[in-house]
Amino acid sequence: MSELNSFNEALLQFLDSSPTPFHAVETMVTTLISAGFEALDERDEWQLKAGGRYFVVRNGSSLVAFCCGASDLLPRGWRMVGAHTDSPNLKVKPTPELHRHGYFQVGVEVYGGALLNPWFDRDLALAGRVNYENTQGELRSCLLNIARPVGIIPNLAIHLDREANNSHSVNPQKDLPVVLLQSGEKEDFRTLLASELTEHGVSDVAAVLDYELSFYDSQKAAMVGWNGDFIASARLDNLLSCFIGVQALLNSDSDSHTVLVCNDHEEVGSQSAVGAQGPMLESVLRRIAGDEVSLQRAMANSMMISADNAHGIHPNFSDRHDANHGPLLNAGPVIKNNVNQRYATNSDTSSLFRRLCADQSVAVQSFVVRSDMACGSTVGPLTAAALGVKTLDVGVPTFAMHSIRELAGSQDAFNLNKVLSAFYGLAALGVAN
């Protein structure tokens, strides 16, 4: 198997094993521990060593992993990569039960800016975190992944909606309750969960108290296209970047001071204890540096690359792009630019990235949103504002972003990994402050 095929096979496995941010972090932690990284507890005093490799987890859904290089931190600073663990989805409400016409349904909330129409007529699985009281009266939590199709949102037949192909708006409250089963009984969702936990080997459940559960497409990630040119999967935005970041971090040498941060809640604004607008990354970096002055000196020599998917130019909708800035799939990573600081890229950071791409024989592209359209954003500007660190926003070009199933090129993740691995190994930025 070629290096590219091996990389993509591992990527597909990661996507399938990570239906929620909790599962994504669990999967990344397993990979890091296998590579010799040590778990740290924020409640403890840390004893960090030169050459040590560590990680911190908050809420089970955000992660900071870092390597303490053998060289002095202050003149080199950190090479940081940022991504996010969450994706738009449908989350089960706290009291979700709906009993209508002999069907048991559950109500859902829309998390993030989801493209809703593709959620209809899909075989939906369910995963997330469940909190329960055990038989000893103790509070416990565990991850649950019901990977089989347990729900569906059926479309209305076109005979009953003759305008469906002309206009099909979605009312999240009315149209999205998920059908779970057919029965005349008054099923309780928490009772179903307790039974499912027992089936998954959690034998001490006395009562399910609460949960954070999301429906997801049960169809597995796949290589698609006549020649296997594409990767189709749920949650490419932005688990693809999380996977790339972990692989690049594992490639970093013992002399480098490297950091990977994968935050939750990017899709809903990042303002949380574990989001990019929260204190997690800065707290970890301050503890590594040891004091405020050392933190600021190291930060002045540091750089962050925010990796989050970019909009590839769609052949059926090319007019939605600026004609000179329409990234192609499998044509290299994309530098994301916005003069209004929706992306944190500047000419210093983008020129460094272009040189890294050239050194790795990787093509590079640029994205600028049309001047008459609104621009999205990501964790880059938030991190730059919070830390005062030089920052660049890049991403892999993608189709159908925020759909239940997205599409990326089969070469792009591998090539971005090569560039980020080289970035992690930089001894000096060569960019003026």
Side-chain angles (χ1 to χ4, degrees):
M1 183 179 293
S2 71
E3 190 177 0
L4 171 62
N5 290 339
S6 178
F7 182 92
N8 283 335
E9 185 64 33
L11 171 58
L12 297 182
Q13 293 175 6
F14 174 71
L15 293 167
D16 288 338
S17 64
S18 305
T20 72
F22 304 114
H23 292 86
V25 168
E26 180 184 58
T27 305
M28 288 187 283
V29 163
T30 299
T31 300
L32 292 170
I33 290 175
S34 297
F37 281 71
E38 178 183 342
L40 297 174
D41 191 322
E42 291 186 275
R43 296 169 292 187
D44 297 337
E45 184 177 350
W46 295 353
Q47 302 294 331
L48 305 179
K49 301 175 182 178
R53 312 175 100 188
Y54 308 95
F55 66 88
V56 181
V57 172
R58 273 193 193 180
N59 188 48
S61 63
S62 290
L63 173 144
V64 178
F66 60 94
C67 302
C68 296
S71 60
D72 186 5
L73 168 65
L74 302 189
R76 291 187 62 151
W78 290 286
R79 305 294 169 262
M80 297 184 284
V81 172
H84 64 87
T85 59
D86 60 323
S87 304
N89 65 79
L90 304 183
K91 289 186 177 292
V92 182
K93 291 182 176 180
T95 306
E97 293 87 355
L98 298 169
H99 299 90
R100 301 187 294 196
H101 302 285
Y103 300 97
F104 178 51
Q105 298 173 269
V106 293
V108 294
E109 287 186 278
V110 179
Y111 178 89
L115 187 62
L116 294 176
N117 278 307
W119 282 81
F120 290 86
D121 304 325
R122 304 294 297 190
D123 301 338
L124 300 179
L126 185 68
R129 180 169 65 184
V130 180
N131 296 76
Y132 64 94
E133 181 180 350
N134 69 11
T135 51
Q136 287 75 46
E138 302 165 321
L139 294 179
R140 292 287 183 264
S141 70
C142 65
L143 298 189
L144 177 65
N145 182 13
I146 309 173
R148 71 182 189 276
V150 295
I152 193 166
I153 309 171
N155 246 312
L156 182 64
I158 195 168
H159 312 78
L160 305 178
D161 182 8
R162 293 293 185 180
E163 295 301 312
N165 289 329
N166 299 321
S167 175
H168 189 182
S169 61
V170 178
N171 182 315
Q173 176 69 19
K174 177 179 175 292
D175 300 338
L176 294 182
V178 180
V179 177
L180 291 191
L181 55 89
Q182 188 173 25
S183 174
E185 301 178 9
K186 296 293 183 181
E187 287 83 7
D188 176 77
F189 185 66
R190 283 175 170 78
T191 301
L192 291 178
L193 283 182
S195 175
E196 196 66 38
L197 287 174
T198 301
E199 292 291 326
H200 282 75
V202 184
S203 59
D204 62 342
V205 179
V208 171
L209 300 178
D210 227 322
Y211 50 79
E212 296 174 66
L213 293 170
S214 302
F215 285 101
Y216 70 94
D217 186 2
S218 63
Q219 184 177 359
K220 293 184 177 298
M223 306 295 295
V224 303
W226 195 276
N227 296 317
D229 290 332
F230 312 111
I231 295 173
S233 175
R235 303 175 300 282
L236 289 178
D237 176 20
N238 189 32
L239 292 186
L240 184 147
S241 298
C242 292
F243 178 80
I244 295 170
V246 168
Q247 297 305 309
L249 187 69
L250 298 182
N251 293 334
S252 61
D253 61 63
S254 60
D255 205 39
S256 302
H257 296 271
T258 53
V259 178
L260 171 68
V261 55
C262 297
N263 288 115
D264 195 3
H265 299 149
E266 189 273 345
E267 298 292 359
V268 292
S270 295
Q271 193 168 10
S272 71
V274 297
Q277 284 202 74
M280 184 179 182
L281 177 58
E282 184 176 0
S283 173
V284 171
L285 296 178
R286 180 171 281 107
R287 293 182 73 167
I288 298 171
D291 59 73
E292 185 65 25
V293 172
S294 296
L295 173 66
Q296 297 304 325
R297 291 180 63 191
M299 198 61 66
N301 290 311
S302 300
M303 180 172 162
M304 161 71 78
I305 294 182
S306 165
D308 198 355
N309 297 28
H311 295 292
I313 185 167
H314 195 303
N316 298 344
F317 303 96
S318 58
D319 60 327
R320 303 301 177 92
H321 282 263
D322 182 283
N324 290 339
H325 301 93
L328 299 172
L329 274 59
N330 289 319
V334 179
I335 298 172
K336 300 158 73 172
N337 300 270
N338 182 260
V339 296
N340 295 308
Q341 294 303 297
R342 300 294 289 170
Y343 303 127
T345 302
N346 62 33
S347 59
D348 281 341
T349 57
S350 62
S351 62
L352 174 63
F353 188 77
R354 290 182 186 279
R355 189 173 67 181
L356 284 171
C357 289
D359 291 344
Q360 298 301 313
S361 300
V362 171
V364 63
Q365 307 180 83
S366 294
F367 173 77
V368 179
V369 73
R370 281 178 56 115
S371 299
D372 55 359
M373 295 177 67
C375 182
S377 191
T378 184
V379 300
L382 303 177
T383 305
L387 300 179
V389 65
K390 292 181 282 287
T391 303
L392 169 75
D393 275 292
V394 303
V396 166
T398 309
F399 290 160
M401 195 181 297
H402 289 196
S403 179
I404 195 171
R405 195 165 177 85
E406 300 164 323
L407 194 74
S410 58
Q411 301 175 38
D412 286 326
F414 178 74
N415 284 329
L416 181 56
N417 174 66
K418 290 167 61 176
V419 180
L420 294 186
S421 296
F423 167 71
Y424 270 145
L426 281 178
L429 296 176
V431 176
N433 288 324

